[in-house]
Amino acid sequence: MKILVTGNMGYVGPKLVSHLRSAMPDAILYGYDSGLFAHCLTAPGAFPETGCARQYFGDVRDLPEELLSEVDAVVMLAAVSNDPMGQKYEGVTSAINYEACADIAQRALRLGVRRIVFASSCSMYGFATGGPRKETDDLNPLTAYARSKVATEKALEQLECGDAVVTSLRFSTACGMSPRLRLDLVLNDFVACALANQEITVLSDGTPWRPLIDVKDMARAIEWALVRTPEAGGNYVAVNVGCDEWNYQVKDLAEAVAKAVPGTSVAINVDALPDKRSYRVDFSRYRELAPDHQPQVKLEQAINELVEGLRAMNFADGNFRSSQFMRLKVLEDHAQAGRLDDALYWC
C-alpha cells in the first residue's frame, strides 16, 4: 500500500510514520507538508522524515493531482491545529482544515484512492452536560477549529465512496512525547510547568472535562482506519477515538502531574471565567469496531515519558508559553520575519 500523509511534519506525523513503518513494513510512505514547523525538533536522533520514501513540500490547498494518482491511501493530518490559531486565522482555518481536506478527498476518490483517513476531533462536542457524548449525539462546535472539523465530516459523509473506505477519527485531546513536541496541549503544558517552574498554573477553574489520547495511540487508530473493511463501520464512518478511563477533569490532570514530579504545587484560577469547552466522550463504538487497536498508553506512562523527554532536552524554560513549543508563536515569528503572509503561505 502506498500511503500519502499530509501534515506529516507536525506533532503527530513523526509518531505515525514510525508506527506505520513497524506495523505495516510493506507500506510505502509519502509525506506532504508546508514545513511551517519543520525546525521545531525536540528529540535527538534521526530526522523523522527519513521514515518516508519521499518527502514533498507544499501547501495542502495546492496539493498536486499527480501525487494523489500515485497512492492507494491518504491520511489527512494537515490542519491549523488548535483554538488560539483558529481564533487568529479563522478564514485560513476553514480553508485548510475544511475546504482543502474536502477537495483532496473528492479528487482522491475520483483518481482511484481507496482509503481516506481524516484526523477529526472530539472538540466538536463543545460544551456538553450530562453523560458522555456518543457519535449520534448533537454537535456543538464552539471554535473555528471545531467548526472546521464538523464541516469536513459533513463533506466526507456526502461523498460517493463506491468501494472506497473513508474514516473520520474524532480524536481526544492529544498528549505525549514526540520528536516535534507541542506544549500548547493541556497535559504537555502541565508537565512543562512542573519541570520549569515547580508549579502548575491551571488557567481555568479546573472543572472542565477533557478526554485525552497519547500520540502513539493516535497512530494505532490511524493504522486501523487504513486496514479496516467496510464491515467495520461501513464505507464511511465517524468514530470517537480514545478510551473511557481517559476522560479527566483538568484539575485531576494537574494533580496527576504534580504527583509524578515531586515538589510541584498546583495553582488553580478559581476566579477564571467558565471554560465552555467541557465534554466527556463515549468510546464504546471504537471498542466495538477496533478491538485490536485500542489505546495502550496509560496516563502515568504518558506523563513519565514527557518528563523523561523534556529532561533529556535539559528543558528549563519558565517562559515556554512564549517559545517555539507553542504553534501560534511559531506562526507569529514567521510572519514578523516576513516569511509568511496573512493567508499562511510562504512569502
Side-chain angles (χ1 to χ4, degrees):
M1 182 186 293
K2 294 181 179 179
I3 304 169
L4 173 66
V5 182
T6 70
N8 68 298
M9 301 179 76
Y11 173 57
V12 179
K15 283 294 186 181
L16 173 62
V17 169
S18 175
H19 176 79
L20 292 180
R21 290 271 291 181
S22 175
M24 303 174 65
D26 294 331
I28 300 173
L29 306 178
Y30 301 152
Y32 186 89
D33 198 288
S34 61
L36 292 174
F37 309 109
H39 63 296
C40 299
L41 290 166
T42 51
F47 191 53
E49 286 65 50
T50 56
C52 294
R54 300 177 198 165
Q55 178 64 53
Y56 298 92
F57 290 94
D59 194 289
V60 288
R61 290 168 287 186
D62 306 306
L63 195 150
E65 197 148 288
E66 56 266 27
L67 183 52
L68 290 173
S69 67
E70 294 182 15
V71 300
D72 306 299
V74 177
V75 178
M76 297 189 292
L77 293 181
V80 178
S81 59
N82 65 13
D83 291 339
M85 285 193 289
Q87 182 176 1
K88 181 164 184 175
Y89 298 102
E90 185 166 354
V92 182
T93 296
S94 178
I96 292 175
N97 296 14
Y98 160 49
E99 294 168 24
C101 287
D103 174 66
I104 289 170
Q106 184 177 46
R107 289 191 291 142
L109 291 177
R110 175 171 52 81
L111 292 167
V113 173
R114 297 276 64 89
R115 293 184 178 274
I116 295 173
V117 184
F118 173 58
S120 191
S121 172
C122 285
S123 67
M124 61 178 62
Y125 294 116
F127 181 70
T129 59
R133 299 294 95 177
K134 295 184 177 181
E135 291 85 352
T136 52
D137 287 329
D138 291 338
L139 303 177
N140 183 27
L142 299 177
T143 65
Y145 172 78
R147 288 190 292 272
S148 73
K149 297 298 186 180
V150 173
T152 304
E153 282 199 13
K154 289 181 178 179
L156 295 179
E157 188 176 15
Q158 293 169 5
L159 291 175
E160 293 293 336
C161 293
D163 62 351
V165 175
V166 181
T167 310
S168 292
L169 299 171
R170 294 181 180 176
F171 283 119
S172 304
T173 299
C175 67
M177 194 62 197
S178 165
R180 285 196 181 86
L181 182 63
R182 288 174 54 186
L183 296 181
D184 51 4
L185 296 161
V186 60
L187 187 70
N188 299 5
D189 175 285
F190 289 170
V191 174
C193 283
L195 292 177
N197 302 320
Q198 291 74 55
E199 181 182 59
I200 297 171
T201 52
V202 181
L203 301 180
S204 71
D205 65 1
T207 61
W209 287 90
R210 292 284 189 281
L212 270 68
I213 188 171
D214 188 275
V215 283
K216 290 187 285 190
D217 288 327
M218 295 175 73
R220 292 186 182 97
I222 292 170
E223 178 203 348
W224 167 73
L226 286 168
V227 301
R228 78 174 182 90
T229 64
E231 288 72 29
N235 289 91
Y236 173 78
V237 69
V239 60
N240 298 332
V241 179
C243 56
D244 293 337
E245 56 264 36
W246 272 75
N247 279 302
Y248 285 98
Q249 284 185 290
V250 171
K251 61 184 179 182
D252 295 329
L253 294 174
E255 293 295 344
V257 173
K259 181 179 178 181
V261 184
T264 299
S265 61
V266 176
I268 295 177
N269 186 1
V270 295
D271 296 324
L273 293 174
D275 186 344
K276 292 185 177 180
R277 298 169 302 167
S278 180
Y279 50 91
R280 287 179 291 167
V281 177
D282 182 295
F283 299 103
S284 58
R285 180 72 166 148
Y286 184 55
R287 287 198 304 275
E288 173 193 347
L289 296 177
D292 297 329
H293 292 81
Q294 289 300 291
Q296 298 178 12
V297 179
K298 304 299 182 184
L299 178 62
E300 295 77 10
Q301 178 185 343
I303 293 171
N304 289 336
E305 289 178 355
L306 283 164
V307 170
E308 293 170 5
L310 285 166
R311 282 178 172 163
M313 295 160 48
N314 297 313
F315 176 82
D317 183 4
N319 195 36
F320 69 87
R321 287 175 178 161
S322 297
S323 75
Q324 74 165 21
F325 293 111
M326 314 300 282
R327 290 301 192 246
L328 177 57
K329 177 63 176 173
V330 174
L331 296 184
E332 290 174 341
D333 287 348
H334 282 318
Q336 289 170 7
R339 294 187 291 266
L340 279 182
D341 65 19
D342 291 341
L344 299 186
Y345 279 108
W346 290 112
C347 294

